[in-house]
Amino acid sequence: MDLLHGLVLVFVAIGGTAVVLTRDPLAQSIVVSFYGILLGILFFVFQAPDVALSQIVVGAVALPMMILLALAKAKAEEE
Amino acid sequence: MSFLPFAVAAWLFAVGLYGIVTSRHLIHLVVCLSVVQSSTYVLLLAIGYRTGASAPIFVEIPPGAPAVDPVVQALTLTDVVVAATVSALLLAMAVQVHKKAGTFDPDELDTLQG
Amino acid sequence: MSLRGRRNLFALGVLGFSVLFLWGLNGLPAFGHYEGVYGITLNRVAVTQRHATNLVAAVTFDYRGFDTLGEEFILFAAVVGVAILLRAQRDEAATPDEEDEETKDESRDAPHTSDAVRVLGLALIGPTVLFGLYIVAHGHLTPGGGFQGGVVLATAALLVYLTGEYVALRRVSPESVTELAESVGAGGYAAIGFIGLLTGQAFLTNVLPLGMTGQLNSSGTILLINLAVGVGVAGGFSLILAEFLEQTLLVREREHG
Amino acid sequence: MSVLLPLSVVVPLVAATLLMAASRAWNRRGYDVFAIAAAGSVLVICIVLLFNSTREPMVYWFGDWSPKDGVALGVSFVAEPIALTLATLAAFLVTASLVYSWHFFDTVGNLFHVLMLVFLGAMIGFCLTGDLFTLFVFFELMSVTAFSLAGYKIEEEGSLQGSLNFAVTNSIGAFLILSGIALLYGRTGALNLAQIGESLAGGPADGLVITAFVFLIAGYFVKAAVVPFHFWLPDTYASAPTPVCVLFAGILSELGLYAIARVYWTMFDGVFGAGLVNLRAVMVGTGAVTAIVGAVMCWPQRHIKRLLAFSTVSHVGMFLVGVGLFSPVALAGTVVYLVTDGLVKGSLFFCAGILLHRLSSVDELGCDGLGRDIPYTGILFLLGGLGLAGLPPFGTFVGKAIIEEEAAHLGYSWVTYLVVAASVLTAAPVLRAGARVFWGYGPGDAYGHHSEAEGDEGEPETSEARDITPPLMWVTAAALLGVSLVAGMIPDLSIRLEPAADFFLDRGAYADLVLRGVTPHEVPLPPGAPLLKGAVIGLITALAAVFAAAMGLWHAKLPASMKGIIAKGLGPPFGRLRALHSGHVGDYVAWLTVGVAVLGGLLAATIG
């Protein structure tokens, strides 16, 4: 357990909390993207590059994109 | 200090649940669910970690050199991708609920009482 | 229940839950000192047994290949679910006689994009596809594989949309193609499993020549499965994106047309 | 023979991908025939495997990775009779549902059939696997397919909301299970059930083991819909398409309980052995609460599918009592009860589907007397109600009798009263609804108020002419009921299952088979016991249910003083219980968290 691990872990904990506390979904999609990158970094320092790669393409790109698309769709319907 | 990774996993699980319980927006709720799920990844990978060992990829290190546990990584790897499609399914449900009920707020959905 | 009542109930519950969880976590080996017999055994024998340098791929697609077959079908089922859930608008917009007409697609407005974005996007499509294929094909050697590469390939499809070539995308890869990719990926995985059965061994046995460790053409069925998964994941994610996009586009179409 | 083991899972999965790939190439009948043929062949495979496994249990290692020195490198299937009985039931119900759907709703091309086949493969994989993580993967596969099937009727707000509640709660259940798996992997470094069991047996029953156990069973409780994890179930069942309801009520909940028995007897028996008496008390108590809550909630429902949903909750409680007694005799009895009850409930759901087809509604009051034209469906429905009560010779009475007897034997003689009460309270509303809908018995304003109809569904599930019932619809309903009836007449049915149950509960024999390839020695059949007492109890239960149904129909004629007592005594607690079923997913998750905490507290206090 070195400083790097501790630091990244604390950031991940804060990131997860921030995702939950961001109540507006549009803003949340950006926060969740950052959270995905943080998790990717954590997995990288956990010596899991495979998982880190998965997490970054999915958590930082695909998931936020799907949130945005869902919101866009709902908004377009309201108008 | 060496308990920190496990504590972070527990924290993510609990805080995600808190988000779900108090959520006023179905899309927010689905994202909180993915935070709960990330707790399981952190837990699994933290368990399999070995200090000073390298990743279980034997390109630059010889076979038999100390490496972290490959099994937990295999379990997590597939789950990350699959979970995203499940999130998509949940988002699609939320979008359709919104279309029918005109709201994303679970407090305003009341067709299923008693 | 009121928000307050729910909060109070949850506060009680989560307190107990957290104490229980921490109590359980306390019984784990200290962080960094894990000595699980499964992982240690595999780290010792897997490279010689499977000629794959990326052990995670060997576990995912060989030792525990049956799990991954299940995971691939979770993806498959979720994608079918999305298609079912988002089908309504298509039915609403399309009258029966125009369903299969390609010409109809021309009227679907793609979002307006500036030329700069367009050029950049178009320029990125090629490299993205290449990068995705590389990740898929080298899964047994270096970090990556069908799951990660498949998602990258699907983002290439999204780039096509972002550059405003969605109409073109619909002509190049209509829904049936992504559906086909999805089924070929999942079904192909199972079919590779049958190779073992045909040679009289167990389902999913890695019976193909293992090749030279470290080379692209090595580790037998792991490479093939990676390709199948790559196709399946790329098809699945493209289908999801297409379904969501279809919705926004149809709404736009109704507004303008 | 062993090649059939992987095929039982791979055949439906591959068939699903072929159907998906063939989209637009075939027409509806093509999908129907292909899907029925695939499910039917899986049924045959399961039956062959079942009979084979009663002679000798079998292990199959995927990828030929048989264990070295007691370390499992790959994933195994274990074919033993209990798992295969459930797999056969799953295959039978899926086949029946597909046949029933022949005339049924306009499916979206092939997607309905695709999902049904994936669902079948998922359930069989779940039953057969001998690996903890594979159990999780197939649990997820079942769940995701079920979410999609539950939300199939997207034109209804209730259906969508129900499937969202279903998906959120069950996903949390899955994350609990995965966390439990992580804890066990951290302790034992294994994922094979037998290997984990051997590793745990040598260690202490400390916090890690208890937490892992609580997380696993809480996850399976969500799937099985045990109180207080059950809230999603009525929401989902009330609005899912009828053929899907048959599978949910007939097998899905039951598989959650199967998993509890499986993980306990392969992994935790050695380490918890000393605390078994306390564990039994917790399980039987939880089961009893579930049986009562489900039964009490069942009575006031007028939406027939929701009514059947709450009866499922109640019956799950009774199954949990059977599983939670932790004895081979009770397990054999529970399997008999669970299979026969699943068939009866499936038949009832099929009848409700016929009502939907003919009347576009399953509202008990709204359909008052409207079912007069379909008396045969009515008879099936009433027979189903009596089958739920356990009227001999329905197989349900056999299972209940054995659970009651074994419970009394282990010091829980009150279980008999519980089972009778829950059976009466769940069968009576079915009989009441049947008598009212199909024969118009009872005054129309039984509840003294006319609220808007609750059972109307936005759109009917069928598009064909509504003046006739397609024969395949009632034939499948009758077939399910018939099989349940015949099962009850097989002499010593549960006695025959006892050797299988003995093996199921023998951790050592299981580990020997899986890790060392040692076949268990044969256990002689125990002497058969007459079930006369159980038959009498079943008869009394059925009569009491008929009487209670009559009370429900004509309660306006009760003396005023009695009505006052009922209104004052039962009204408020009833109302409070109903209010808890709020349809709000946040509430459900809060209850789920409380449930985990309470279970953890109870087990920590009694075992730790």
Side-chain angles (χ1 to χ4, degrees):
Chain A
M1 187 82 212
D2 51 29
L3 195 62
L4 179 66
H5 282 112
L7 212 59
V8 180
L9 278 165
V10 169
F11 272 118
V12 163
I14 295 171
T17 315
V19 172
V20 168
L21 294 183
T22 312
R23 299 274 166 179
D24 171 43
L26 197 63
Q28 199 191 23
S29 69
I30 298 162
V31 179
V32 89
S33 179
F34 277 111
Y35 179 59
I37 294 171
L38 280 175
L39 278 175
I41 296 172
L42 178 70
F43 298 164
F44 208 78
V45 298
F46 275 172
Q47 298 290 351
D50 272 288
V51 191
L53 190 57
S54 266
Q55 179 60 43
I56 285 171
V57 291
V58 165
V61 182
L63 182 64
M65 199 157 63
M66 290 190 291
I67 298 169
L68 287 177
L69 285 173
L71 282 170
K73 192 227 147 325
K75 190 154 181 284
E77 231 158 43
E78 256 172 18
E79 282 163 2
Chain B
M1 183 66 174
S2 73
F3 194 66
L4 184 66
F6 304 137
V8 168
W11 170 257
L12 290 174
F13 205 121
V15 85
L17 285 181
Y18 168 79
I20 293 170
V21 169
T22 58
S23 182
R24 300 292 302 271
H25 195 294
L26 288 178
I27 291 186
H28 171 264
L29 192 149
V30 173
V31 179
C32 289
L33 195 64
S34 74
V35 172
V36 178
Q37 183 149 33
S38 65
S39 147
T40 60
Y41 308 149
V42 173
L43 177 57
L44 277 166
L45 292 179
I47 285 173
Y49 183 73
R50 291 171 75 194
T51 309
S54 48
I57 292 157
F58 294 89
V59 176
E60 273 155 32
I61 54 168
V68 303
D69 189 285
V71 180
V72 287
Q73 298 194 12
L75 306 186
T76 324
L77 158 73
T78 52
D79 215 36
V80 169
V81 177
V82 168
T85 58
V86 177
S87 293
L89 183 62
L90 284 156
L91 287 172
M93 283 178 190
V95 164
Q96 289 295 358
V97 168
H98 176 264
K99 183 173 178 249
K100 291 289 159 196
T103 177
F104 273 122
D105 188 347
D107 287 351
E108 291 169 21
L109 301 169
D110 54 3
T111 48
L112 294 171
Q113 285 177 346
Chain C
M1 222 186 302
S2 65
L3 180 62
R4 201 189 153 136
R6 184 157 61 241
R7 264 177 202 266
N8 290 342
L9 182 71
F10 175 73
L12 275 177
V14 83
L15 189 72
F17 169 84
S18 306
V19 170
L20 179 72
F21 203 173
L22 292 174
W23 189 39
L25 292 168
N26 197 35
L28 285 170
F31 178 70
H33 297 274
Y34 183 67
E35 295 289 335
V37 57
Y38 198 173
I40 293 205
T41 312
L42 286 175
N43 275 341
R44 207 178 53 234
V45 300
V47 176
T48 20
Q49 280 181 340
R50 290 296 80 147
H51 296 203
T53 50
N54 182 357
L55 267 201
V56 181
V59 176
T60 310
F61 299 111
D62 192 326
Y63 292 96
R64 303 192 62 81
F66 188 67
D67 279 352
T68 314
L69 179 69
E71 298 270 8
E72 175 72 23
F73 272 90
I74 298 178
L75 190 135
F76 179 81
V79 171
V80 172
V82 173
I84 285 176
L85 278 164
L86 298 184
R87 72 182 184 249
Q89 278 69 17
R90 203 179 330 159
D91 298 346
E92 283 163 19
T95 50
D97 57 321
E98 64 180 31
E99 253 174 343
D100 289 308
E101 277 177 49
E102 281 292 316
T103 50
K104 238 359 189 191
D105 296 336
E106 308 283 356
S107 69
R108 291 171 195 224
D109 278 345
H112 295 288
T113 28
S114 73
D115 285 343
V117 173
R118 216 182 165 104
V119 169
L120 184 68
L122 283 172
L124 276 174
I125 292 169
T128 310
V129 171
L130 275 181
F131 180 55
L133 288 176
Y134 180 88
I135 292 187
V136 171
H138 288 75
H140 55 300
L141 301 173
T142 49
F147 281 98
Q148 299 96 327
V151 184
V152 174
L153 284 176
T155 54
L158 190 85
L159 277 176
V160 176
Y161 168 74
L162 286 179
T163 52
E165 302 293 323
Y166 184 61
V167 179
L169 175 68
R170 276 191 60 89
R171 217 179 280 131
V172 178
S173 87
E175 227 160 55
S176 53
V177 172
T178 47
E179 268 178 27
L180 191 67
E182 174 67 0
S183 352
V184 167
Y189 194 148
I192 294 165
F194 275 104
I195 302 176
L197 282 186
L198 290 178
T199 56
Q201 279 159 299
F203 188 75
L204 282 173
T205 305
N206 191 346
V207 288
L208 295 184
L210 294 173
M212 277 274 291
T213 306
Q215 293 199 340
L216 183 60
N217 179 19
S218 69
S219 67
T221 53
I222 296 179
L223 173 64
L224 282 185
I225 294 178
N226 250 328
L227 293 176
V229 168
V231 171
V233 171
F237 271 82
S238 314
L239 194 64
I240 288 175
L241 293 174
E243 292 287 354
F244 273 110
L245 289 170
E246 182 91 359
Q247 299 247 305
T248 20
L249 283 185
L250 282 173
V251 172
R252 231 180 245 135
E253 187 189 346
R254 271 208 297 279
E255 279 161 10
H256 300 299
Chain D
M1 184 57 60
S2 67
V3 74
L4 289 181
L5 272 170
L7 287 185
S8 64
V9 176
V10 179
V11 164
L13 294 183
V14 171
T17 59
L18 288 178
L19 258 183
M20 178 88 168
S23 83
R24 294 171 189 126
W26 296 350
N27 63 10
R28 168 70 196 271
R29 285 293 160 257
Y31 305 141
D32 277 337
V33 170
F34 184 79
I36 292 170
S41 54
V42 174
L43 176 61
V44 172
I45 291 176
C46 285
I47 291 174
V48 171
L49 283 170
L50 174 60
F51 278 98
N52 205 53
S53 72
T54 51
R55 281 193 293 278
E56 198 180 307
M58 199 161 51
V59 185
Y60 187 88
W61 290 95
F62 285 94
D64 269 341
W65 290 113
S66 50
K68 297 277 177 306
D69 307 324
V71 176
L73 291 181
V75 173
S76 65
F77 265 11
V78 182
E80 52 79 34
I82 304 258
L84 279 162
T85 304
L86 288 170
T88 308
L89 176 66
F92 180 66
L93 287 177
V94 169
T95 314
S97 294
L98 284 167
V99 171
Y100 181 86
S101 316
W102 185 274
H103 293 282
F104 212 58
F105 52 23
D106 297 316
T107 56
V108 183
N110 48 353
L111 298 184
F112 174 75
H113 302 78
V114 169
L115 283 179
M116 290 289 269
L117 289 174
V118 175
F119 195 41
L120 175 59
M123 290 192 286
I124 293 179
F126 187 78
C127 289
L128 295 183
T129 184
D131 187 282
L132 186 57
F133 191 73
T134 314
L135 199 64
F136 167 77
V137 169
F138 280 82
F139 177 91
E140 272 283 83
L141 183 54
M142 279 190 327
S143 302
V144 171
T145 323
F147 304 159
S148 308
L149 283 169
Y152 199 83
K153 292 198 279 181
I154 51 166
E155 59 282 350
E156 281 169 48
E157 190 185 335
S159 168
L160 290 164
Q161 211 185 314
S163 50
L164 193 68
N165 292 355
F166 179 29
V168 171
T169 47
N170 279 263
S171 296
I172 295 174
F175 303 151
L176 284 173
I177 291 175
L178 188 53
S179 302
I181 293 174
L183 288 174
L184 289 176
Y185 186 73
R187 167 66 53 87
T188 64
L191 291 170
N192 183 284
L193 292 172
Q195 199 187 333
I196 294 176
E198 296 215 319
S199 173
L200 284 182
D206 62 355
L208 182 140
V209 181
I210 290 175
T211 306
F213 182 66
V214 170
F215 279 8
L216 287 177
I217 60 170
Y220 297 129
F221 275 174
V222 175
K223 182 104 292 175
V226 171
V227 172
F229 304 94
H230 71 290
F231 291 95
W232 61 271
L233 183 139
D235 294 355
T236 311
Y237 286 24
S239 51
T242 308
V244 177
C245 285
V246 171
L247 299 180
F248 284 8
I251 181 81
L252 191 62
S253 298
E254 288 75 357
L255 287 180
L257 295 176
Y258 160 79
I260 290 169
R262 173 61 80 206
V263 298
Y264 178 79
W265 289 112
T266 52
M267 298 194 298
F268 294 100
D269 181 41
V271 61
F272 283 167
L276 187 65
V277 179
N278 295 325
L279 191 60
R280 181 181 291 144
V282 172
M283 289 295 188
V284 172
T286 314
V289 171
T290 307
I292 292 167
V293 169
V296 168
M297 284 299 295
C298 188
W299 180 264
Q301 302 299 327
R302 46 188 281 193
H303 184 298
I304 290 174
K305 280 163 82 179
R306 202 167 163 88
L307 189 160
L308 291 172
F310 276 112
S311 82
T312 308
V313 173
S314 178
H315 297 160
V316 161
M318 290 191 261
F319 304 150
L320 179 58
V321 170
V323 169
L325 286 170
F326 294 114
S327 92
V329 180
L331 183 70
T334 310
V335 170
V336 172
Y337 182 24
L338 183 152
V339 170
T340 51
D341 184 81
L343 291 168
V344 171
K345 217 156 337 75
S347 173
L348 284 169
F349 268 111
F350 278 150
C351 290
I354 296 176
L355 270 184
L356 262 183
H357 166 71
R358 296 294 294 261
L359 308 173
S360 306
S361 168
V362 283
D363 180 34
E364 179 189 338
L365 301 185
C367 294
D368 191 351
L370 294 179
R372 280 202 184 88
D373 300 338
I374 39 173
Y376 297 115
T377 309
I379 289 170
L380 282 179
F381 196 80
L382 288 192
L383 279 176
L386 293 171
L388 285 192
L391 178 74
F394 277 105
T396 42
F397 97 92
V398 180
K400 287 189 205 184
I402 291 163
I403 294 174
E404 287 162 4
E405 214 162 281
E406 184 69 4
H409 191 65
L410 292 167
Y412 292 92
S413 42
W414 52 265
V415 163
T416 308
Y417 302 105
L418 171 85
V419 171
V420 170
S423 302
V424 169
L425 278 175
T426 50
V430 173
L431 295 172
R432 180 196 73 202
R436 197 193 305 276
V437 169
F438 294 100
W439 284 278
Y441 288 144
D445 58 342
Y447 295 86
H449 57 81
H450 286 282
S451 53
E452 81 267 46
E454 283 180 0
D456 281 346
E457 310 226 347
E459 273 185 41
E461 295 179 312
T462 44
S463 61
E464 295 193 18
R466 340 205 110 245
D467 45 349
I468 50 156
T469 309
L472 281 177
M473 289 176 92
W474 62 262
V475 165
T476 39
L480 260 57
L481 210 55
V483 174
S484 177
L485 200 69
V486 170
M489 290 192 270
I490 299 174
D492 299 336
L493 180 62
S494 80
I495 304 282
R496 284 157 199 271
L497 270 171
E498 261 180 50
D502 271 323
F503 174 70
F504 195 97
L505 268 59
D506 191 340
R507 194 177 55 81
Y510 180 87
D512 278 342
L513 176 71
V514 173
L515 297 176
R516 291 172 281 278
V518 182
T519 346
H521 53 85
E522 257 183 67
V523 185
L525 283 183
L531 288 166
L532 194 63
K533 193 178 157 205
V536 172
I537 294 178
L539 195 64
I540 294 173
T541 312
L543 285 176
V546 171
F547 180 71
M551 282 224 331
L553 285 169
W554 289 288
H555 80 182
K557 292 190 178 155
L558 288 175
S561 57
M562 221 171 134
K563 273 194 278 187
I565 293 170
I566 293 174
K568 284 209 188 78
L570 297 178
F574 245 57
R576 244 170 274 148
L577 186 60
R578 278 195 85 162
L580 291 183
H581 296 78
S582 58
H584 192 298
V585 64
D587 287 355
Y588 295 0
V589 175
W591 280 114
L592 194 158
T593 320
V594 170
V596 176
V598 170
L599 262 181
L602 282 175
L603 291 183
T606 55
I607 299 178

mmCIF file of all heavy atoms in Angstrom, chain D residues 9 13 43 49 102 129 200 210 256 298 366 382 403 405 410 436 464 528 551:
data_model
loop_
_atom_site.group_PDB
_atom_site.id
_atom_site.type_symbol
_atom_site.label_atom_id
_atom_site.label_comp_id
_atom_site.label_asym_id
_atom_site.label_seq_id
_atom_site.Cartn_x
_atom_site.Cartn_y
_atom_site.Cartn_z
ATOM 1 N N VAL D 9 -27.742 -26.613 -22.531
ATOM 2 C CA VAL D 9 -27.661 -25.146 -22.455
ATOM 3 C C VAL D 9 -27.379 -24.540 -23.826
ATOM 4 O O VAL D 9 -27.944 -23.522 -24.199
ATOM 5 C CB VAL D 9 -26.561 -24.724 -21.460
ATOM 6 C CG1 VAL D 9 -26.398 -23.219 -21.455
ATOM 7 C CG2 VAL D 9 -26.908 -25.208 -20.076
ATOM 8 N N LEU D 13 -29.452 -21.691 -26.664
ATOM 9 C CA LEU D 13 -28.740 -20.439 -26.936
ATOM 10 C C LEU D 13 -28.432 -20.304 -28.424
ATOM 11 O O LEU D 13 -28.649 -19.237 -29.025
ATOM 12 C CB LEU D 13 -27.447 -20.372 -26.117
ATOM 13 C CG LEU D 13 -27.610 -20.275 -24.596
ATOM 14 C CD1 LEU D 13 -26.249 -20.142 -23.917
ATOM 15 C CD2 LEU D 13 -28.479 -19.091 -24.206
ATOM 16 N N LEU D 43 -36.307 -30.153 -23.723
ATOM 17 C CA LEU D 43 -37.107 -30.907 -22.738
ATOM 18 C C LEU D 43 -36.733 -32.384 -22.782
ATOM 19 O O LEU D 43 -36.517 -33.012 -21.737
ATOM 20 C CB LEU D 43 -38.600 -30.703 -23.033
ATOM 21 C CG LEU D 43 -39.571 -31.499 -22.163
ATOM 22 C CD1 LEU D 43 -39.424 -31.116 -20.703
ATOM 23 C CD2 LEU D 43 -41.008 -31.262 -22.618
ATOM 24 N N LEU D 49 -31.491 -36.884 -19.287
ATOM 25 C CA LEU D 49 -30.460 -36.655 -18.270
ATOM 26 C C LEU D 49 -30.989 -36.948 -16.875
ATOM 27 O O LEU D 49 -30.296 -37.505 -16.027
ATOM 28 C CB LEU D 49 -29.964 -35.211 -18.347
ATOM 29 C CG LEU D 49 -29.007 -34.873 -19.485
ATOM 30 C CD1 LEU D 49 -28.794 -33.375 -19.579
ATOM 31 C CD2 LEU D 49 -27.671 -35.567 -19.274
ATOM 32 N N TRP D 102 -48.790 -19.500 -29.529
ATOM 33 C CA TRP D 102 -49.047 -19.705 -30.958
ATOM 34 C C TRP D 102 -50.056 -18.695 -31.491
ATOM 35 O O TRP D 102 -49.853 -18.068 -32.522
ATOM 36 C CB TRP D 102 -49.542 -21.131 -31.160
ATOM 37 C CG TRP D 102 -49.732 -21.526 -32.574
ATOM 38 C CD1 TRP D 102 -50.852 -21.325 -33.327
ATOM 39 C CD2 TRP D 102 -48.804 -22.199 -33.422
ATOM 40 N NE1 TRP D 102 -50.677 -21.830 -34.583
ATOM 41 C CE2 TRP D 102 -49.418 -22.385 -34.678
ATOM 42 C CE3 TRP D 102 -47.493 -22.673 -33.242
ATOM 43 C CZ2 TRP D 102 -48.797 -23.018 -35.740
ATOM 44 C CZ3 TRP D 102 -46.869 -23.307 -34.296
ATOM 45 C CH2 TRP D 102 -47.521 -23.468 -35.536
ATOM 46 N N THR D 129 -24.848 -25.842 -12.975
ATOM 47 C CA THR D 129 -23.455 -25.500 -12.763
ATOM 48 C C THR D 129 -22.956 -25.887 -11.375
ATOM 49 O O THR D 129 -23.703 -25.895 -10.409
ATOM 50 C CB THR D 129 -23.199 -24.010 -13.002
ATOM 51 O OG1 THR D 129 -21.803 -23.778 -12.871
ATOM 52 C CG2 THR D 129 -23.932 -23.159 -12.003
ATOM 53 N N LEU D 200 -13.465 -23.871 3.225
ATOM 54 C CA LEU D 200 -14.136 -23.194 4.340
ATOM 55 C C LEU D 200 -14.249 -24.112 5.549
ATOM 56 O O LEU D 200 -14.171 -23.664 6.699
ATOM 57 C CB LEU D 200 -15.540 -22.741 3.935
ATOM 58 C CG LEU D 200 -15.681 -21.523 3.044
ATOM 59 C CD1 LEU D 200 -17.148 -21.225 2.804
ATOM 60 C CD2 LEU D 200 -15.011 -20.313 3.686
ATOM 61 N N ILE D 210 -19.820 -15.286 7.416
ATOM 62 C CA ILE D 210 -21.221 -14.924 7.668
ATOM 63 C C ILE D 210 -21.681 -13.852 6.683
ATOM 64 O O ILE D 210 -22.761 -13.940 6.096
ATOM 65 C CB ILE D 210 -21.391 -14.447 9.129
ATOM 66 C CG1 ILE D 210 -21.231 -15.650 10.063
ATOM 67 C CG2 ILE D 210 -22.764 -13.801 9.339
ATOM 68 C CD1 ILE D 210 -21.252 -15.310 11.515
ATOM 69 N N GLY D 256 -34.414 -19.268 -7.234
ATOM 70 C CA GLY D 256 -33.729 -18.519 -6.175
ATOM 71 C C GLY D 256 -33.557 -19.385 -4.932
ATOM 72 O O GLY D 256 -32.497 -19.411 -4.311
ATOM 73 N N CYS D 298 -52.777 -11.250 -0.694
ATOM 74 C CA CYS D 298 -53.471 -11.899 -1.810
ATOM 75 C C CYS D 298 -54.975 -11.621 -1.727
ATOM 76 O O CYS D 298 -55.619 -11.337 -2.733
ATOM 77 C CB CYS D 298 -53.187 -13.399 -1.720
ATOM 78 S SG CYS D 298 -53.743 -14.343 -3.113
ATOM 79 N N GLY D 366 -64.783 -6.093 -12.502
ATOM 80 C CA GLY D 366 -65.174 -5.618 -13.827
ATOM 81 C C GLY D 366 -65.693 -6.743 -14.712
ATOM 82 O O GLY D 366 -66.514 -6.520 -15.602
ATOM 83 N N LEU D 382 -61.132 -23.038 -11.496
ATOM 84 C CA LEU D 382 -61.522 -23.494 -10.157
ATOM 85 C C LEU D 382 -60.696 -24.700 -9.725
ATOM 86 O O LEU D 382 -60.274 -24.794 -8.575
ATOM 87 C CB LEU D 382 -63.002 -23.857 -10.132
ATOM 88 C CG LEU D 382 -63.974 -22.684 -10.206
ATOM 89 C CD1 LEU D 382 -65.384 -23.154 -9.868
ATOM 90 C CD2 LEU D 382 -63.572 -21.561 -9.263
ATOM 91 N N ILE D 403 -43.577 -31.733 4.135
ATOM 92 C CA ILE D 403 -42.962 -30.601 4.841
ATOM 93 C C ILE D 403 -43.540 -30.497 6.250
ATOM 94 O O ILE D 403 -42.805 -30.347 7.234
ATOM 95 C CB ILE D 403 -43.203 -29.289 4.059
ATOM 96 C CG1 ILE D 403 -42.468 -29.341 2.726
ATOM 97 C CG2 ILE D 403 -42.730 -28.091 4.863
ATOM 98 C CD1 ILE D 403 -42.755 -28.164 1.823
ATOM 99 N N GLU D 405 -44.935 -32.797 8.136
ATOM 100 C CA GLU D 405 -44.527 -33.895 9.000
ATOM 101 C C GLU D 405 -43.086 -33.725 9.477
ATOM 102 O O GLU D 405 -42.786 -33.876 10.659
ATOM 103 C CB GLU D 405 -44.660 -35.191 8.211
ATOM 104 C CG GLU D 405 -45.077 -36.372 9.047
ATOM 105 C CD GLU D 405 -45.609 -37.467 8.143
ATOM 106 O OE1 GLU D 405 -46.766 -37.381 7.703
ATOM 107 O OE2 GLU D 405 -44.821 -38.381 7.846
ATOM 108 N N LEU D 410 -39.010 -31.979 13.598
ATOM 109 C CA LEU D 410 -37.873 -31.157 14.016
ATOM 110 C C LEU D 410 -38.274 -30.101 15.039
ATOM 111 O O LEU D 410 -37.513 -29.196 15.330
ATOM 112 C CB LEU D 410 -37.250 -30.473 12.783
ATOM 113 C CG LEU D 410 -36.560 -31.413 11.791
ATOM 114 C CD1 LEU D 410 -36.271 -30.719 10.482
ATOM 115 C CD2 LEU D 410 -35.261 -31.956 12.396
ATOM 116 N N ARG D 436 -66.912 -15.661 -9.280
ATOM 117 C CA ARG D 436 -67.543 -14.401 -9.664
ATOM 118 C C ARG D 436 -67.440 -14.173 -11.180
ATOM 119 O O ARG D 436 -68.427 -13.847 -11.831
ATOM 120 C CB ARG D 436 -66.895 -13.234 -8.925
ATOM 121 C CG ARG D 436 -67.768 -11.980 -8.956
ATOM 122 C CD ARG D 436 -67.027 -10.732 -8.522
ATOM 123 N NE ARG D 436 -66.400 -10.814 -7.214
ATOM 124 C CZ ARG D 436 -67.013 -10.585 -6.055
ATOM 125 N NH1 ARG D 436 -68.279 -10.288 -6.018
ATOM 126 N NH2 ARG D 436 -66.349 -10.656 -4.922
ATOM 127 N N GLU D 464 -56.444 -11.804 -32.580
ATOM 128 C CA GLU D 464 -57.398 -12.631 -33.305
ATOM 129 C C GLU D 464 -58.810 -12.421 -32.776
ATOM 130 O O GLU D 464 -59.018 -11.723 -31.791
ATOM 131 C CB GLU D 464 -56.997 -14.099 -33.178
ATOM 132 C CG GLU D 464 -55.675 -14.363 -33.867
ATOM 133 C CD GLU D 464 -55.412 -15.846 -34.025
ATOM 134 O OE1 GLU D 464 -56.373 -16.634 -33.921
ATOM 135 O OE2 GLU D 464 -54.254 -16.201 -34.234
ATOM 136 N N GLY D 528 -41.727 -46.597 2.303
ATOM 137 C CA GLY D 528 -42.756 -45.618 1.992
ATOM 138 C C GLY D 528 -43.668 -45.385 3.190
ATOM 139 O O GLY D 528 -43.960 -46.300 3.947
ATOM 140 N N MET D 551 -67.455 -16.763 1.753
ATOM 141 C CA MET D 551 -67.514 -15.597 2.650
ATOM 142 C C MET D 551 -67.114 -14.340 1.910
ATOM 143 O O MET D 551 -67.690 -13.269 2.106
ATOM 144 C CB MET D 551 -66.566 -15.797 3.832
ATOM 145 C CG MET D 551 -67.113 -16.707 4.866
ATOM 146 S SD MET D 551 -66.899 -16.183 6.573
ATOM 147 C CE MET D 551 -65.453 -15.218 6.627
#
